[in-house]
């Protein structure tokens, strides 16, 4: 259904150079924790959080959190697709990538618990995961009473009131804005990206035409057989 225009979204020469510079052996592991459900409520209590070094762990930390600095943790659940469940920690001042969570085939609640721990590690980073298909990850974080969750402003079509809705909604309006911003940041400072896998996925992220009966819609996506 897709026809590639042959145009890469990002500058592949910059990506190639950066791939040769990044640390391919970051601090790697996962978080252990104690979890219990509070009786007769939806509340989940996460405690005894500890970092566990593991060369095969799902979390790579490139830069340790700095005291008092604000961080953002964006999440992309796989939602039944072939992509991994991913979390990206970004320094909200310099826009630098500080840590990455990536795992294929994890249960959404277990993914949410690792994001909880990772967010807590980075100064209670603002967490927002995509909710296009399901909001279960953000709901789990809400039940865990994570202190810093992302809410977006949405107009109620019936009452025209502005309401807060939890999580990130990726649409034909918001996606180009995100991609254009990311493209500009990387072009001006490729050093903001520290993860080799992220750079590889950027390398195969293309402009594509989605043909329809009436017209064609230009969009951005991973090449066939690749991931984004």
């Amino acid at each position: 259904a897709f026809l590639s225009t042959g145009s890469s979204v990002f500058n592949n020469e910059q990506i190639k150079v950066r791939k040769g510079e990044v640390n391919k052996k970051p601090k790697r592991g996962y978080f252990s924790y104690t979890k219990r459900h509070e009786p007769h409520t939806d509340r989940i209590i996460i405690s005894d959080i500890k970092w566990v070094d593991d060369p095969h762990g799902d979390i790579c930390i490139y830069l340790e959190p700095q005291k008092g600095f604000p961080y953002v943790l964006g999440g992309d659940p796989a939602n039944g697709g072939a992509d991994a469940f991913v979390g990206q920690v970004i320094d909200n001042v310099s826009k630098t990538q500080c840590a990455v969570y990536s795992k294929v085939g994890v249960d959404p609640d277990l993914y949410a618990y690792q994001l909880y721990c990772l967010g807590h590690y980075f100064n209670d980073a603002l967490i927002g995961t995509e909710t296009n298909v399901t909001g279960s990850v953000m709901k789990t974080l809400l039940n865990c009473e994570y202190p810093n969750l992302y809410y977006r402003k949405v107009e109620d079509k019936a009452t025209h009131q502005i309401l807060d809705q939890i999580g990130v909604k990726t649409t034909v309006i918001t996606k180009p804005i995100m991609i254009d911003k990311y493209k500009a940041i990387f072009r001006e400072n490729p050093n903001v990206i520290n993860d080799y896998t992220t750079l590889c996925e950027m390398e195969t992220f293309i402009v594509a035409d989605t043909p329809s009966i009436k017209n064609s819609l230009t969009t951005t996506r991973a090449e066939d057989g690749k991931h984004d």
Side-chain angles (χ1 to χ4, degrees):
F2 292 96
L3 299 174
S4 172
T5 64
S7 174
S8 297
V9 172
F10 301 100
N11 185 315
N12 280 350
E13 285 301 315
Q14 286 185 305
I15 293 173
K16 183 178 179 180
V17 171
R18 187 60 184 152
K19 284 171 70 175
E21 297 171 341
V22 295
N23 175 17
K24 297 182 178 66
K25 293 185 178 180
K27 176 179 174 179
R28 188 161 189 166
Y30 62 91
F31 289 97
S32 66
Y33 53 86
T34 300
K35 173 181 69 71
R36 70 179 178 89
H37 290 265
E38 191 171 79
H40 313 299
T41 72
D42 292 329
R43 188 183 179 204
I44 301 169
I45 300 171
I46 303 292
S47 59
D48 302 321
I49 300 172
K50 296 177 182 177
W51 172 261
V52 179
D53 286 314
D54 183 341
H56 305 292
D58 305 314
I59 298 174
C60 293
I61 295 178
Y62 295 92
L63 295 170
E64 293 289 340
Q66 298 184 62
K67 186 177 180 180
F69 270 60
Y71 295 90
V72 171
L73 172 48
D76 189 3
N79 296 325
D83 285 337
F85 285 75
V86 173
Q88 299 263 359
V89 179
I90 307 297
D91 179 325
N92 204 30
V93 176
S94 68
K95 314 307 179 189
T96 302
Q97 181 187 41
C98 300
V100 177
Y101 170 96
S102 180
K103 186 172 184 177
V104 176
V106 65
D107 291 335
D109 61 327
L110 298 180
Y111 167 64
Y113 300 144
Q114 287 296 314
L115 293 191
Y116 179 101
C117 297
L118 185 58
H120 179 69
Y121 187 83
F122 277 90
N123 302 342
D124 288 333
L126 176 67
I127 298 181
T129 70
E130 189 178 73
T131 56
N132 284 34
V133 177
T134 175
S136 66
V137 173
M138 292 298 288
K139 177 64 175 176
T140 299
L141 289 166
L142 190 63
N143 290 342
C144 291
E145 297 185 348
Y146 184 80
N148 197 10
L149 296 175
Y150 173 77
Y151 288 83
R152 65 188 188 278
K153 299 292 184 182
V154 178
E155 182 181 4
D156 184 282
K157 293 182 179 179
T159 65
H160 301 292
Q161 289 183 309
I162 303 299
L163 307 174
D164 288 330
Q165 290 191 0
I166 196 168
V168 178
K169 186 75 74 172
T170 304
T171 68
V172 295
I173 295 173
T174 63
K175 183 179 179 180
I177 295 172
M178 290 189 287
I179 296 298
D180 287 347
K181 183 69 172 178
Y182 184 14
K183 184 177 179 180
I185 290 172
F186 181 74
R187 184 189 65 242
E188 293 171 7
N189 183 14
N191 293 339
V192 296
I193 303 300
N194 291 308
D195 180 61
Y196 188 83
T197 300
T198 301
L199 289 163
C200 290
E201 293 190 356
M202 290 169 63
E203 205 167 27
T204 56
F205 196 69
I206 62 170
V207 177
D209 285 334
T210 307
S212 66
I213 294 175
K214 294 182 178 179
N215 54 24
S216 65
L217 173 66
T218 299
T219 186
T220 52
R221 63 172 182 87
E223 288 180 0
D224 291 335
K226 303 296 182 180
H227 303 284
D228 64 0

